[in-house]
Amino acid sequence: MQEWSLEKHHRGEKIAFVPTMGSLHQGHLSLLHRGRQIGDQLVLSLFVNPTQFGPQEDFSRYPRDVEGDLKKARECSVDVVFLPNTSSMYGSNHETFLSLEKLPQHLCGLSRPHHFRGVATVVLKLFNIVQPHYALFGEKDFQQLRVIQKMVQDLNVPTEIIPMPIIREKDGLAMSSRNQYLSVEERKAALSLFQSLQKAEEKIVQGCRNHHELLSLVKETLEQKGRIVIDYISLSDPETLEELRTFQLPALLALAVRIGTTRLIDNVLLKKPISHP
Ligand code: AMP
């Protein structure tokens, strides 16, 4: 893989890279479509990274569909699919990991303590292997995006990170490989994730600037139908992900919940209104 990439570098060709854990859906495909536009070469990786899963998490049952993914990759005109196995990524004597000091101490990092260490490590490994000029990441996993942006900045990684908007189902549910786990009833309940974020957004448009009121509205909406166990609801600084004490914009309104055994996340970025001179 690395030899292939270095050869493209020598030819002056730009490599766009989309790292994924596979089981591709429209969210992943939107990244691939954009990658196709900006890169001369488009690389997709499929790797369910064991080091970003906790011991009680869903690594072993995480959905895998290599055949389906390869078909979709072909349809998106991907040039190379990088499909390493666990032992080639992590030998039995692997001992180097990459941890960020602060960003993982918020949001998902609180209930998934080693998650971002696994993410940062595998992404840096993938970047070293694929040597991309551009790498595309979804805002669906906003904290992951921030971790990668910070890692690239702090370690002078010569890759431009391209954030991509969240792709949703028609009814608003953010697309996720984990949506497959949901039963019909759970899928219905999952609609309240986006609904609760939308309600908060509407309230802000109506002029609400009360931090506590907004978070309560999200909580009530999530809890209305039962079934949903809240991990966190957070209004944070989109740069540092530090919890905001008072309402200010821009802000990241983010949540994580469990529905049955499935953990789902969603967020909206609340932007500053454009001021007219
Ligand atoms: P995953 O396979 O879940 O690790 O995701 C691979 C990449 O796709 C990450 O950059 C995700 O943020 C992105 N992604 C996943 N779901 C969506 C979505 N619904 N919309 C946009 N990007 C997404």
Side-chain angles (χ1 to χ4, degrees), residues 19-22 25 27-28 30-31 62 136-141 144 164-167 174-177:
T20 77
M21 299 206 296
H25 51 66
H28 299 115
S30 73
L31 274 54
Y62 194 85
L136 298 98
F137 288 85
E139 289 176 346
K140 155 93 194 324
D141 302 277
Q144 167 172 283
M164 293 291 293
I166 301 177
I167 303 297
M175 290 194 184
S176 163
S177 308

Side-chain angles (χ1 to χ4, degrees), residues 1-276:
M1 181 74 243
Q2 202 178 47
E3 267 172 31
W4 180 91
S5 292
L6 290 173
E7 201 247 325
K8 302 302 170 201
H9 278 248
H10 289 312
R11 289 171 180 237
E13 294 185 12
K14 302 285 188 202
I15 300 171
F17 177 41
V18 177
T20 77
M21 299 206 296
S23 248
L24 300 182
H25 51 66
Q26 288 298 326
H28 299 115
L29 301 192
S30 73
L31 274 54
L32 289 173
H33 289 312
R34 185 75 192 122
R36 189 64 282 174
Q37 290 170 342
I38 59 178
D40 301 307
Q41 299 289 338
L42 176 59
V43 179
L44 161 71
S45 68
L46 304 173
F47 179 59
V48 184
N49 173 38
T51 64
Q52 70 188 67
F53 289 80
Q56 307 302 325
E57 293 182 356
D58 55 343
F59 173 69
S60 54
R61 69 174 185 130
Y62 194 85
R64 288 158 171 91
D65 176 22
V66 174
E67 285 312 310
D69 290 346
L70 292 178
K71 185 162 177 284
K72 286 174 191 150
R74 233 170 267 130
E75 286 162 3
C76 292
S77 310
V78 168
D79 293 296
V80 170
V81 179
F82 180 56
L83 212 150
N85 56 29
T86 303
S87 56
S88 66
M89 289 296 277
Y90 299 102
S92 56
N93 53 356
H94 185 99
E95 59 174 301
T96 310
F97 287 89
L98 177 63
S99 306
L100 284 81
E101 303 272 323
K102 289 195 223 147
L103 279 172
Q105 291 178 20
H106 306 286
L107 310 178
C108 291
L110 297 176
S111 50
R112 307 186 74 191
H114 299 297
H115 175 66
F116 292 108
R117 172 183 182 259
V119 167
T121 303
V122 81
V123 170
L124 187 58
K125 281 172 68 66
L126 288 168
F127 281 6
N128 284 332
I129 297 166
V130 176
Q131 305 265 325
H133 297 83
Y134 310 107
L136 298 98
F137 288 85
E139 289 176 346
K140 155 93 194 324
D141 302 277
F142 197 90
Q143 189 171 15
Q144 167 172 283
L145 169 66
R146 287 294 305 123
V147 162
I148 302 305
Q149 285 174 324
K150 197 80 184 73
M151 182 259 292
V152 160
Q153 185 191 0
D154 290 352
L155 299 182
N156 311 89
V157 178
T159 298
E160 184 182 334
I161 304 303
I162 312 225
M164 293 291 293
I166 301 177
I167 303 297
R168 300 179 178 281
E169 303 284 357
K170 280 204 184 79
D171 58 13
L173 179 66
M175 290 194 184
S176 163
S177 308
R178 290 193 168 96
N179 291 349
Q180 296 179 30
Y181 296 148
L182 300 171
S183 69
V184 175
E185 286 307 310
E186 289 172 342
R187 174 69 180 69
K188 274 189 204 149
L191 285 182
S192 62
L193 273 72
F194 186 49
Q195 283 166 358
S196 69
L197 298 174
Q198 272 185 316
K199 277 195 188 175
E201 262 189 312
E202 277 163 28
K203 195 123 179 123
I204 294 167
V205 172
Q206 287 162 10
C208 174
R209 294 292 180 267
N210 185 316
H211 174 261
H212 181 73
E213 220 174 287
L214 288 169
L215 295 182
S216 301
L217 177 64
V218 175
K219 183 169 185 292
E220 277 162 29
T221 312
L222 287 174
E223 285 176 343
Q224 228 158 36
K225 296 205 183 85
R227 281 187 182 274
I228 291 188
V229 178
I230 296 169
D231 177 5
Y232 66 77
I233 304 167
S234 154
L235 195 65
S236 69
D237 178 322
E239 278 291 306
T240 61
L241 305 183
E242 275 166 27
E243 203 62 35
L244 294 176
R245 282 159 207 266
T246 53
F247 184 82
Q248 67 185 58
L249 294 175
L252 176 74
L253 180 57
L255 55 85
V257 305
R258 267 188 304 111
I259 307 181
T261 54
T262 307
R263 189 172 186 282
L264 296 178
I265 55 173
D266 202 349
N267 71 77
V268 283
L269 192 55
L270 306 168
K271 296 192 177 122
K272 258 191 185 153
I274 301 161
S275 56
H276 298 284

